[in-house]
């Protein structure tokens, strides 16, 4: 949907360059925040005697507009309004794909690293501690690997829910929550990463890791049978194992690989 209109300073529509527009005033086309932005754009274009652009989402959030205002003398403006909702939705979908796992709905490592990078400077100023836990799922008898894609996705979703249920306020991403809420992420095909943003000692991280291991080891019922896992777990601690997000994640993954190799010996 788009509109190309000649509009007066008061918002009256003097002419439409598209026959589908039968409105007589901009109030018939927009309301709330969109109307306010159109009125502001008209006044600004006439006052500055120069073209200007504005963008706004309607109050209900269902539509996004791009407005262009071109002065047409002292009291009129050529208003071009383009509905940009589809592009905004597309960008939001891309953002979701960039930061969240499509199977479990959990954050991915890109988002984990970004948020951990915000947490660590706070911990450093407060001389506090944080931890990263990395889990690799090893299924008994490779039973997981023999599942169909829909069934394996279902198992991963169940495990993701279990992990989230064991952590304090997990995956809340507002600014204040980042300092106190744990993050659970999918890190690979059969890997999960957990961030504990505020711990007292390394023992706290060990205790959480033990609890997560027990949750993952519980068999997952699927169809007529079940799938069991024996996870390999690695932990890294801030600040002793790394001062940056990528260092902590890498060191937790290396510790997990060490635990995995010991388990297979």
């Amino acid at each position: 949907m788009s509109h190309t209109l000649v509009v007066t300073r008061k918002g009256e529509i003097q002419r439409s360059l598209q026959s589908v527009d039968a409105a007589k005033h901009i109030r018939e086309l927009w309301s709330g925040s969109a109307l306010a932005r159109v009125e502001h754009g008209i006044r600004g274009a006439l006052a500055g005697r120069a073209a200007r652009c504005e963008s706004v989402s309607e109050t209900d959030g269902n539509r996004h507009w791009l407005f262009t205002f071109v002065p047409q003398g002292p009291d009129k403006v050529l208003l071009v309004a383009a509905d940009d909702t589809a592009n905004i939705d597309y960008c939001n979908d891309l953002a979701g794909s960039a930061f969240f796992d499509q199977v479990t709905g959990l954050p991915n490592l890109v988002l984990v690293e970004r948020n951990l990078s915000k947490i660590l400077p706070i911990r450093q100023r407060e001389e506090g501690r944080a931890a990263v836990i990395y889990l690799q799922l090893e299924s008994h008898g490779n039973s997981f690997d023999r599942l169909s894609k829909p069934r394996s996705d279902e198992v991963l979703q169940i495990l993701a829910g279990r992990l989230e249920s064991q952590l304090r306020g997990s995956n809340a991403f507002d600014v204040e929550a980042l300092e106190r809420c744990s993050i659970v992420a999918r890190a690979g095909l059969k890997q999960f990463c957990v961030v504990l943003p505020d711990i007292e000692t390394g023992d706290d991280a060990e205790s959480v890791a033990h609890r997560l291991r027990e949750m993952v080891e519980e068999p997952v019922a699927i169809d007529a049978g079940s799938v069991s896992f024996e996870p390999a777990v690695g932990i890294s601690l801030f600040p002793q194992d790394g001062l940056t997000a990528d260092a902590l994640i890498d060191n937790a993954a290396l510790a997990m690989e060490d635990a995995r190799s010991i388990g297979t010996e």
Side-chain angles (χ1 to χ4, degrees), residues 95-231:
S97 299
F99 297 123
F100 290 90
D101 173 54
Q102 300 303 298
V103 173
T104 63
L106 295 177
N108 60 23
L109 282 182
V110 175
L111 186 55
V112 167
E113 186 171 340
R114 172 178 291 195
N115 287 329
L116 186 54
S117 295
K118 297 176 183 177
I119 295 166
L120 295 183
I122 299 170
R123 289 292 159 265
Q124 193 158 23
R125 286 196 302 270
E126 297 175 347
E127 297 184 352
R129 294 175 173 83
V132 174
I133 302 172
Y134 221 95
L135 297 95
Q136 167 76 34
L137 308 181
E138 301 292 347
S139 61
H140 294 163
N142 294 322
S143 55
F144 177 82
D145 298 328
R146 293 196 296 267
L147 294 176
S148 65
K149 179 67 164 56
R151 291 291 177 263
S152 63
D153 287 352
E154 183 181 347
V155 170
L156 290 171
Q157 290 160 6
I158 291 171
L159 292 175
R162 288 183 183 178
L163 294 174
E164 284 191 294
S165 71
Q166 292 298 305
L167 295 164
R168 180 181 58 192
S170 58
N171 292 348
F173 292 115
D174 58 273
V175 175
E176 294 181 358
L178 282 177
E179 295 182 45
R180 53 184 172 77
C181 293
S182 304
I183 302 172
V184 186
R186 188 178 179 196
L189 178 61
K190 295 186 288 184
Q191 295 177 343
F192 292 92
C193 180
V194 174
V195 173
L196 306 178
D198 187 11
I199 60 173
E200 294 293 331
T201 68
D203 289 342
D204 294 337
E206 292 281 358
S207 177
V208 173
H210 179 73
R211 193 165 70 244
L212 296 178
R213 174 193 285 274
E214 288 184 331
M215 291 300 299
V216 171
E217 286 177 341
E218 291 184 11
V220 179
I222 189 80
D223 291 335
S226 64
V227 179
S228 297
F229 295 95
E230 184 174 345

Side-chain angles (χ1 to χ4, degrees), residues 5 10 23 52 67 74 78-80 89 92 112 123 127 131 153 173 181 206 227 242:
L5 313 166
K10 295 181 179 180
R52 61 186 293 156
F67 297 116
L78 176 66
L79 167 59
V80 179
D89 290 343
N92 288 338
V112 167
R123 289 292 159 265
E127 297 184 352
D153 287 352
F173 292 115
C181 293
E206 292 281 358
V227 179

Side-chain angles (χ1 to χ4, degrees), residues 5-8 10-16 21-29:
L5 313 166
V6 177
V7 182
T8 69
K10 295 181 179 180
E12 298 162 338
I13 298 174
Q14 288 201 335
R15 185 157 58 98
S16 171
D21 289 320
K24 301 300 183 184
H25 197 281
I26 58 174
R27 286 193 297 268
E28 298 176 46
L29 298 176

